[in-house]
Amino acid sequence: MFHIKKLVLVVMIAGLFGMLMVACNGGNDEASGENNQPEENETNNNDTNEANEANDEPADDAADYPDKSVQMVVPYSAGGGTDTVARAISEFIDFEESLVVSNIEGSGGAIGTMEVVNADPDGHTLLMHSVTAAVSGYHTGLFDTKIWQDLEPVASMVTQSGGIVVREDSDWETVEDLVEYAQANPQELSVGLPGIGGGAHIISAIFADAADIEVNYVPFDGSADSRAALAGGHIDVMAGFVSEFYDFIQEGEFRMLASTGSERSPQLPDVPTFTEMDIDFVLNHRNGIFAPQGTPEAVIDKLNERLEEVTQNEEFITLMDGLVTESAFLSADEFKEELEELDAMIEPVGELIRNEE
């Protein structure tokens, strides 16, 4: 009997001990569960934070650009220098969509320019313009505002210098000869202009101001008419850009006395610069591309990348050489700086030009 009671007691103690062990394990499991719960919450929070951070990242506004054809407006008639460069770019640029050149001429380039100023700022309407004309428009009264500030400078891709030209048989062999005559005979030196306020007018006005001479401006309806007048002896001098005169110089009809470049033109290495003649005057003529104000920066950056590739294309470089133009890329920031410098250069002669109209 005693043994039976002892056995029952042992069994009861063993059972009680087992229950205690189960209870302890259960408590540990619960404790473990409580410790794991924050880790699960932390994981969920991390996922949420990562999703929020992803949503906060700026979208690439140029990822699908261009998603339709791009129109490049040239505010002059077809066949001119600006138009030729624009069409070369359209041929060589690596775009998913076509780049179409549209000539919207009239009012000295104002109509085509305003077409782009008022276009949607999505990068699908661009302006190819003479940089000199784009800046001088305000100073010559063509625009009420500095129109280049109403646009986004995208890039400039080509450049050439300008100069002062006389007939080959002229008595003026150098710029010094020309200045000496003009100072001794105020208003006697006749200077032909392809148009009022254009690049040739800017070159002439800055030269006259820098050399402290007074000249008589004679306007014509375009470069062809003014060149014919010079060849016929109806005017004494003509200003303009190298590409306008190159063939005539090579054929022995005209002589360029000085160029506006910071260095001598590679096409006319024997022609000195104005700075070599102690006349403080440097003006490189550029064609530049503009977009409507508010065009996304990512689109401007993508355009910069593709346009710079064009200027490095050997076929494009060769084509520009044939146009007596140098392939020379300026980024958006560099282009804007160039515009500001040109604006400061033209401003002092702006009033003189307006008074001559």
Side-chain angles (χ1 to χ4, degrees):
M1 184 69 177
F2 174 77
H3 292 291
I4 294 173
K5 289 182 178 180
K6 186 176 181 179
L7 179 61
V8 171
L9 180 60
V10 170
V11 171
M12 291 177 63
I13 292 172
L16 180 61
F17 180 75
M19 292 174 64
L20 289 173
M21 290 295 294
V22 171
C24 289
N25 288 337
N28 288 339
D29 288 343
E30 289 178 8
S32 177
E34 290 173 0
N35 290 336
N36 287 337
Q37 187 65 36
E39 292 180 6
E40 182 179 351
N41 290 339
E42 184 178 346
T43 301
N44 291 338
N45 288 337
N46 287 339
D47 291 342
T48 302
N49 290 337
E50 290 175 2
N52 289 336
E53 288 175 4
N55 290 334
D56 289 339
E57 292 179 0
D60 184 357
D61 293 325
D64 298 324
Y65 174 80
D67 57 8
K68 59 182 179 181
S69 63
V70 177
Q71 179 189 31
M72 181 179 286
V73 173
V74 173
Y76 307 111
S77 60
T82 302
D83 176 72
T84 302
V85 173
R87 293 183 186 279
I89 292 170
S90 70
E91 178 181 347
F92 288 101
I93 195 166
D94 181 17
F95 258 179
E96 292 78 2
E97 300 286 342
S98 59
L99 178 64
V100 180
V101 176
S102 298
N103 299 93
I104 304 178
E105 56 187 297
S107 299
I111 294 177
T113 300
M114 293 309 299
E115 180 84 9
V116 179
V117 169
N118 296 320
D120 290 336
D122 58 5
H124 290 91
T125 305
L126 304 173
L127 174 70
M128 167 63 82
H129 209 333
S130 158
V131 174
T132 307
V135 173
S136 67
Y138 169 73
H139 300 292
T140 59
L142 181 63
F143 296 110
D144 294 331
T145 63
K146 294 184 178 182
I147 201 67
W148 60 274
Q149 294 180 340
D150 296 333
L151 294 159
E152 297 282 358
V154 175
S156 178
M157 303 175 62
V158 296
T159 184
Q160 62 174 296
S161 59
I164 298 292
V165 174
V166 297
R167 289 185 305 280
E168 180 62 37
D169 61 0
S170 170
D171 292 334
W172 300 307
E173 297 284 343
T174 66
V175 168
E176 289 94 334
D177 294 340
L178 191 68
V179 171
E180 183 179 348
Y181 172 84
Q183 288 177 340
N185 301 276
Q187 293 287 332
E188 289 296 318
L189 187 71
S190 58
V191 179
L193 299 177
I196 297 295
H201 199 170
I202 297 299
I203 291 173
S204 302
I206 294 177
F207 165 61
D209 185 60
D212 193 24
I213 59 176
E214 295 180 16
V215 301
N216 175 33
Y217 291 109
V218 182
F220 293 90
D221 293 328
S223 296
D225 288 346
S226 56
R227 284 195 299 265
L230 179 61
H234 304 294
I235 56 175
D236 299 317
V237 179
M238 186 178 169
F241 299 105
V242 171
S243 60
E244 299 177 73
F245 305 121
Y246 182 75
D247 289 342
F248 298 90
I249 294 171
Q250 294 299 102
E251 292 168 4
E253 292 187 51
F254 297 160
R255 179 170 66 248
M256 182 171 283
L257 300 183
S259 75
T260 64
S262 55
E263 299 177 353
R264 294 193 179 197
S265 168
Q267 291 84 11
L268 298 172
D270 295 331
V271 177
T273 65
F274 278 103
T275 53
E276 290 180 62
M277 303 292 102
D278 294 324
I279 297 176
D280 186 17
F281 178 23
V282 176
L283 175 62
N284 290 315
H285 173 63
R286 283 186 167 274
N287 288 114
I289 297 175
F290 300 84
Q293 199 170 68
T295 300
E297 184 176 350
V299 171
I300 301 293
D301 290 343
K302 188 168 186 177
L303 281 166
N304 262 247
E305 178 183 333
R306 299 300 172 85
L307 291 169
E308 185 172 16
E309 290 173 356
V310 171
T311 62
Q312 297 170 348
N313 185 298
E314 290 298 329
E315 291 184 53
F316 179 82
I317 293 172
T318 300
L319 180 59
M320 291 301 103
D321 285 344
L323 298 172
V324 200
T325 299
E326 181 183 356
S327 177
F329 181 78
L330 290 182
S331 67
D333 290 339
E334 293 168 330
F335 185 23
K336 184 176 181 180
E337 184 177 339
E338 180 102 346
L339 288 163
E340 291 169 347
E341 291 176 358
L342 183 59
D343 182 66
M345 179 188 297
I346 294 176
E347 187 169 11
V349 300
E351 185 175 352
L352 296 175
I353 293 173
R354 288 194 297 273
N355 291 338
E356 291 158 4
E357 296 182 26

